[in-house]
Amino acid sequence: MLVVNIFQDEDKLSDELMRLDAKSNGIISGSFRDGTFSGKLCEVASFHRPVGLSANRLLLVGAGVKHDFNFEVACQLAGTAARHVHKTGIREIAFLMRGELSAERRGQSCIEGALLGILDMGKYKTRDSAKLALQSIVLLPSRTGEEKELERGAVRGRIYAEATNYARELVNEPSNILTPTRLAERTVALAKEFGMQVDVLGPEQLKQNELNALLCVGKGSHEPPQLCVVRYQGSDTQSAAVALVGKGLTFDSGGISLKDPDGMQYMKDDMAGGAAVLGAMRIIGELKPKINVLGIVAAAENLPGGGAQKPGDVVKAFNGKTIEIVNTDAEGRLVLADAISYAQHLGATRIVDLATLTGSCVIALGDITTGVMTNDEKWAGKVLEAARDAGEKMWLLPTFSEYRELIESEIADMTNIVNRKVAHSGVNPAGAIVGAMFLMEFAEGTSWVHLDIAGTAWNSRRIPYLAIGPTGVGVRTLASLILSVAKENA
Ligand code: BES
Ligand code: ZN
Ligand code: ZN
């Protein structure tokens, strides 16, 4: 199947399209004219045995308006085409990706978008598991001599998509399969595969090291918490490392502050931050940039068992600060508090954390934009730039010092949610930012960016280019960030 993207505001058909149109007896111009195809974003029109073409089928994919075209859109078009083709049982597609992007980026988008598009989440279905139809993807140059560039992009697209899909499959695993211990085993396996060092701190070592904020979250579960540390040594100088820190709650019931059962099943995705870190480490392990990176996953299961922590408890974190637990459902910030301090203890001088941290972030930004919060706007600028490069939408939220008052505790250094006595209104104000203010207490002086992916880690829309379920958000942004920082250092 030959796949061609066509813009809605295509004023006149370009040379290559004119040739295709002429050869196929006017399929393209005809379908524009009779209204079967308008070029609207992700619209598809499929033609069987198009006369004059050697392809068995032709698929036109709407590319929207030219002005809005970018790498992210290109990936969506490729995903749309690949998902369409996959359903029809076609084995081979040839992409002619058109638009204002370098050949390398066009090549990358075709492979990345297609591989992300065709991953399905039906692993546990015993019947009707879709047979993988698509077997090969051919990239057609739109200019002569751009083959090498297309190919370079395609290689990067494959690496990025495979790592993102790896993270998505991890997030898709239910919590009875993927416990904190299993997640730690998967981390070890990944590190071994790519020749990276790995340490797992189980409950005993966590106790010895007094990582109590992580430990207290796991107290209500029979599954012990685990802190996974992957070390990628890409620079021989003992230069400071960038740490990628992920929230790894394999399930979040809320604990004693129990969640509403409606939708609680989705809380298996509360380790999406951790999965993104592992996905990124995979890309780093494969592309080997000259930089030192720590990948840290703070894994635990938040349940209301007999040993569970309770509202009112006070916990002393790894960095010595004390926390009054007001709501046991604000557990992500607890595990991250210790993971962030521990990253510094291991020599990290720049940190990015990713977490499905707050429902508030979903209310603020919805499910398409990741919330970005920081104590260093320059470092946040780098992360935002990497996100743009990766085709992921992220947006900065403020962390003005006044917000800190909201977590003042009467008896400890801070509360873990808004202290109602300090808040002015009956509602929980600025929930996503409050989460960040809490984490900032543990980043202390180190450059730190917090990504709240509560809304973006899961796709619940029927969209033409991605399955419902985990998105793997963050994997590609983190990888792009590390590659660009490594380039700067070189
Ligand atoms: N894992 C949740 C956040 C979440 C909510 C992720 C919805 C994905 C979708 C987190 O641990 C949590 O429960 N946060 C609380 C914080 C509150 C108690 C301050 C929340 O957002 O309700
Ligand atoms: Zn929670
Ligand atoms: Zn949570």
Side-chain angles (χ1 to χ4, degrees):
M1 181 181 255
L2 171 63
V3 180
V4 187
N5 63 317
I6 300 186
F7 295 93
Q8 188 174 321
D9 51 352
E10 198 106 34
D11 33 7
K12 62 171 178 29
L13 301 185
S14 66
D15 288 354
E16 65 204 343
L17 275 196
M18 291 256 257
R19 271 199 301 279
L20 201 62
D21 196 50
K23 252 172 98 178
S24 65
N25 225 342
I27 286 188
I28 300 171
S29 52
S31 52
F32 257 120
R33 212 174 314 113
D34 67 17
T36 37
F37 183 77
S38 71
K40 219 178 69 202
L41 191 61
C42 295
E43 175 190 7
V44 290
S46 165
F47 300 89
H48 290 244
R49 304 214 169 269
V51 276
L53 299 185
S54 49
N56 272 319
R57 309 232 191 144
L58 171 67
L59 186 74
L60 305 182
V61 182
V65 292
K66 272 188 179 158
H67 178 261
D68 294 342
F69 184 74
N70 58 25
F71 176 71
E72 186 185 359
V73 171
C75 288
Q76 293 173 356
L77 303 183
T80 300
R83 279 171 75 75
H84 182 88
V85 163
H86 213 38
K87 280 183 284 181
T88 61
I90 289 169
R91 288 158 172 274
E92 186 175 282
I93 58 177
F95 270 116
L96 179 62
M97 179 65 76
R98 307 163 52 245
E100 287 294 304
L101 281 175
S102 70
E104 185 172 350
R105 295 291 271 172
R106 277 182 280 118
Q108 185 184 347
S109 70
C110 288
I111 304 299
E112 202 169 302
L115 295 182
L116 294 174
I118 61 177
L119 185 72
D120 80 291
M121 297 295 160
K123 178 174 175 191
Y124 291 104
K125 284 183 189 290
T126 57
R127 293 187 307 147
D128 97 305
S129 63
K131 281 194 200 70
L132 288 186
L134 188 56
Q135 292 185 340
S136 77
I137 301 173
V138 175
L139 303 185
L140 301 172
S142 34
R143 285 182 270 286
T144 44
E146 66 175 29
E147 290 83 352
K148 277 255 135 45
E149 257 192 277
L150 274 178
E151 195 173 331
R152 197 169 337 118
V155 169
R156 178 161 161 178
R158 181 184 56 75
I159 293 171
Y160 270 47
E162 282 174 356
T164 306
N165 285 345
Y166 163 85
R168 291 166 73 196
E169 286 183 316
L170 268 183
V171 176
N172 194 47
E173 290 297 346
S175 71
N176 60 329
I177 307 282
L178 194 76
T179 60
T181 306
R182 287 291 301 151
L183 182 55
E185 287 167 15
R186 296 289 301 261
T187 306
V188 171
L190 176 82
K192 294 256 160 75
E193 188 183 339
F194 290 94
M196 300 184 277
Q197 297 168 45
V198 60
D199 273 319
V200 175
L201 281 69
E204 295 315 318
Q205 284 153 303
L206 293 174
K207 267 172 220 149
Q208 273 164 26
N209 288 285
E210 298 183 79
L211 284 103
N212 298 316
L214 172 55
L215 277 166
C216 72
V217 171
K219 278 176 24 177
S221 169
H222 294 304
E223 297 292 343
Q226 311 278 342
L227 187 73
C228 316
V229 181
V230 180
R231 279 198 188 85
Y232 169 78
Q233 205 78 30
S235 157
D236 20 302
T237 58
Q238 280 300 341
S239 74
V242 176
L244 309 176
V245 180
K247 171 177 175 182
L249 266 288
T250 56
F251 190 72
D252 177 15
S253 72
I256 295 297
S257 313
L258 196 62
K259 284 181 183 296
D260 190 305
D262 184 26
M264 204 200 274
Q265 71 273 24
Y266 297 117
M267 282 301 125
K268 70 171 184 180
D269 89 342
D270 217 15
M271 36 59 75
V277 167
L278 296 182
M281 293 309 287
R282 209 187 147 97
I283 298 175
I284 292 160
E286 216 163 330
L287 296 181
K288 307 205 183 321
K290 290 191 166 47
I291 183 174
N292 297 333
V293 184
L294 288 164
I296 300 182
V297 181
E301 183 176 64
N302 188 20
L303 290 184
Q309 65 171 338
K310 301 162 294 287
D313 287 2
V314 173
V315 176
K316 194 182 203 108
F318 177 67
N319 75 346
K321 292 190 180 176
T322 56
I323 305 162
E324 179 188 0
I325 310 294
V326 176
N327 188 317
T328 64
D329 196 10
E331 85 300 337
R333 60 199 72 183
L334 298 172
V335 305
L336 287 174
D338 275 354
I340 289 169
S341 311
Y342 198 71
Q344 286 168 275
H345 171 73
L346 295 178
T349 52
R350 279 188 275 189
I351 300 173
V352 180
D353 84 67
L354 285 89
T356 43
L357 205 74
T358 67
S360 285
C361 194
V362 191
I363 292 175
L365 298 173
D367 63 356
I368 56 164
T369 308
T370 294
V372 182
M373 285 145 273
T374 189
N375 62 2
D376 176 353
E377 281 188 31
K378 243 176 112 181
W379 181 226
K382 295 250 180 283
V383 175
L384 288 165
E385 198 182 301
R388 216 168 303 123
D389 176 69
E392 298 191 305
K393 293 186 172 72
M394 304 205 176
W395 207 262
L396 192 64
L397 296 174
T399 48
F400 300 121
S401 59
E402 286 89 336
Y403 290 111
R404 173 62 180 80
E405 295 163 17
L406 295 170
I407 52 170
E408 232 8 89
S409 164
E410 283 82 35
I411 66 164
D413 294 334
M414 69 200 93
T415 54
N416 79 325
I417 65 162
V418 169
N419 183 345
R420 296 290 181 122
K421 291 214 182 87
V422 191
H424 307 289
S425 55
V427 295
N428 261 343
I433 296 169
V434 167
M437 297 313 289
F438 180 93
L439 295 177
M440 201 188 286
E441 290 291 321
F442 301 88
E444 301 184 80
T446 306
S447 290
W448 154 86
V449 167
H450 161 58
L451 303 177
D452 194 331
I453 58 170
T456 48
W458 193 272
N459 169 44
S460 41
R461 305 169 189 234
R462 283 195 189 282
I463 46 179
Y465 52 88
L466 200 72
I468 285 175
T471 60
V473 67
V475 171
R476 294 172 289 157
T477 295
L478 291 181
S480 290
L481 174 71
I482 295 300
L483 294 180
S484 88
V485 173
K487 231 186 237 164
E488 268 169 32
N489 289 354

